[in-house]
Amino acid sequence: MARYKDIFDAIDHATSESCPNRLLAFAKVRSVVLGGAAAAQSAARQIINRFCNVAMENQRIGLWSLDLLQMCTLHGGDAFALALNSQDRLNDLLAFFLNPAKFKSISIQTQLKLLSLIQTWAITYKNTFSCNNFEYAYSRLKKSGVSSNVDGLRNLHWLPDRDVFGNFTESTPYNLQDVASEMSSENKQLHAELQTIYKMASELLATTSGEGEESKKQLSEASKRTLEIKQAVYASQAFWNDIIDHLETKSEDLEEIKLSVQRIFESMEQSITYCSNALKTESSVTPVSTRPFRPFTKLLKGRLLIVNGDSAVLLISQ
């Protein structure tokens, strides 16, 4: 699990004025958040602390903090949403509406963004938690007389390159090559787990045919973890698609990058299928590759190119 300081540094960097590739920094925060319940708890608290500490003095950093909070809620897993569904965390945000001095000190953009998030959480997580603090927070706002009108919003997305009115906030386009590399690293770790699971399942089936309580328990746990990896890959793909669907400024080599990332996900899905089959049958299973997970792409004269055609991106030995 990431240390407190690592989480703090990642959040601070992602929301700083000097961040050279904010989209990559957001992706790295997401990777940290997915590290477990403790990391999600810490990240939720620290992102809100970051917002509370800077929103009154620096609108841009305040909005980036809310963008990061929104991104983690959408793509940081269930543990992050659970951590955010905290009365203490939400009270820190509500104070910017219920405390007159704080309300006057933040910009209209910040007010609209924060209000839209609280509204969205109340709707999205309705009936999700036994104790739903999202709904309670929104009801407190309405009872206090805060206007729920967010018609002034022109941009509801979390991508940090535009403000709530749709104006660009970054001077240069994001380097998607770096983001693609981050996605590759994330899936590399998952692929290594699949290799371990496949090896264990093959050995068990070869020696015990999956019989015996201990063998059944190990296979059951391996199947559960394989399903978790499958869900993680789908979540990673949803994150990437969300970026591509909403990115306004697109680089010239976008199509090449998209092709490379698409092959990452296709290869991971193939690996998951073979691993799942290995957990169900003793023979006729194509083995998950035991060779190292190699980079999918390389930079050549500033462009992203596929290495050695299709073979470089396959995770499965054919």
Side-chain angles (χ1 to χ4, degrees):
M1 188 198 80
R3 298 177 303 168
Y4 178 93
K5 186 178 185 304
D6 295 332
I7 299 172
F8 176 88
D9 289 344
I11 292 169
D12 183 75
H13 178 64
T15 56
S16 68
E17 295 270 12
S18 60
C19 183
N21 189 345
R22 201 171 311 283
L23 183 56
L24 173 62
F26 270 41
K28 288 184 177 295
V29 171
R30 174 181 175 271
S31 295
V32 170
V33 168
L34 292 172
Q41 285 276 356
S42 180
R45 181 175 65 254
Q46 291 190 54
I47 294 172
I48 291 176
N49 287 346
R50 174 68 164 165
F51 171 76
C52 293
N53 291 335
V54 303
M56 292 183 285
E57 288 80 27
N58 191 313
Q59 172 185 286
R60 282 158 60 88
I61 295 180
L63 288 172
W64 285 328
S65 299
L66 292 180
D67 288 335
L68 186 61
L69 190 63
Q70 182 182 6
M71 184 275 291
C72 288
T73 308
L74 289 170
H75 299 293
D78 294 339
F80 188 87
L82 182 61
L84 189 59
N85 183 44
S86 158
Q87 189 169 338
D88 289 339
R89 301 287 83 77
L90 294 174
N91 280 345
D92 289 338
L93 299 177
L94 288 178
F96 285 90
F97 292 105
L98 305 181
N99 183 319
K102 285 191 172 184
F103 183 73
K104 293 177 182 178
S105 67
I106 59 174
S107 68
I108 295 295
Q109 285 203 53
T110 305
Q111 293 172 12
L112 286 171
K113 178 73 175 184
L114 183 54
L115 178 59
S116 72
L117 290 182
I118 295 174
Q119 282 183 334
T120 300
W121 295 334
I123 295 170
T124 302
Y125 296 106
K126 185 178 179 64
N127 302 323
T128 299
F129 304 106
S130 57
C131 180
N132 196 322
N133 288 304
F134 292 123
E135 290 187 80
Y136 177 66
Y138 186 47
S139 67
R140 283 187 65 191
L141 282 184
K142 291 191 292 185
K143 288 178 181 177
S144 68
V146 174
S147 172
S148 59
N149 187 348
V150 292
D151 291 343
L153 282 172
R154 293 294 178 268
N155 172 38
L156 293 171
H157 201 261
W158 59 265
L159 275 176
D161 60 340
R162 289 176 295 154
D163 61 24
V164 299
F165 298 141
N167 302 313
F168 285 100
T169 59
E170 306 278 25
S171 58
T172 57
Y174 295 129
N175 186 338
L176 283 182
Q177 294 173 347
D178 292 341
V179 179
S181 294
E182 178 70 16
M183 307 292 285
S184 176
S185 297
E186 180 181 310
N187 284 276
K188 175 182 177 180
Q189 296 174 7
L190 297 176
H191 179 257
E193 282 196 69
L194 290 174
Q195 289 180 324
T196 301
I197 290 172
Y198 178 84
K199 181 179 179 182
M200 180 275 296
S202 299
E203 291 175 352
L204 274 181
L205 290 169
T207 57
T208 69
S209 298
E211 300 299 326
E213 290 302 316
E214 185 61 29
S215 294
K216 290 179 180 179
K217 180 181 178 182
Q218 287 181 272
L219 291 172
S220 175
E221 291 175 350
S223 296
K224 179 181 177 181
R225 181 53 188 155
T226 300
L227 178 59
E228 291 173 348
I229 291 175
K230 181 178 182 179
Q231 292 170 337
V233 172
Y234 285 170
S236 180
Q237 189 169 14
F239 177 58
W240 174 256
N241 290 340
D242 196 11
I243 292 172
I244 296 302
D245 290 345
H246 293 90
L247 197 64
E248 287 286 333
T249 305
K250 297 178 171 58
S251 58
E252 294 180 357
D253 54 2
L254 176 62
E255 292 306 315
E256 291 173 300
I257 297 173
K258 285 169 60 178
L259 177 61
S260 179
V261 174
Q262 178 185 341
R263 288 177 171 176
I264 292 175
F265 293 126
E266 289 174 352
S267 298
M268 285 300 297
E269 186 170 354
Q270 194 176 24
S271 296
I272 291 167
T273 299
Y274 286 133
C275 202
S276 298
N277 290 341
L279 291 165
K280 298 174 183 177
T281 181
E282 182 176 356
S283 59
S284 302
V285 178
T286 304
V288 176
S289 172
T290 56
R291 61 183 170 85
F293 183 100
R294 296 191 294 173
F296 295 104
T297 57
K298 69 178 180 181
L299 287 172
L300 183 61
K301 296 182 180 179
R303 296 183 64 78
L304 192 66
L305 302 177
I306 304 300
V307 181
N308 297 330
D310 292 345
S311 62
V313 299
L314 292 178
L315 305 187
I316 309 299
S317 296
Q318 299 296 319

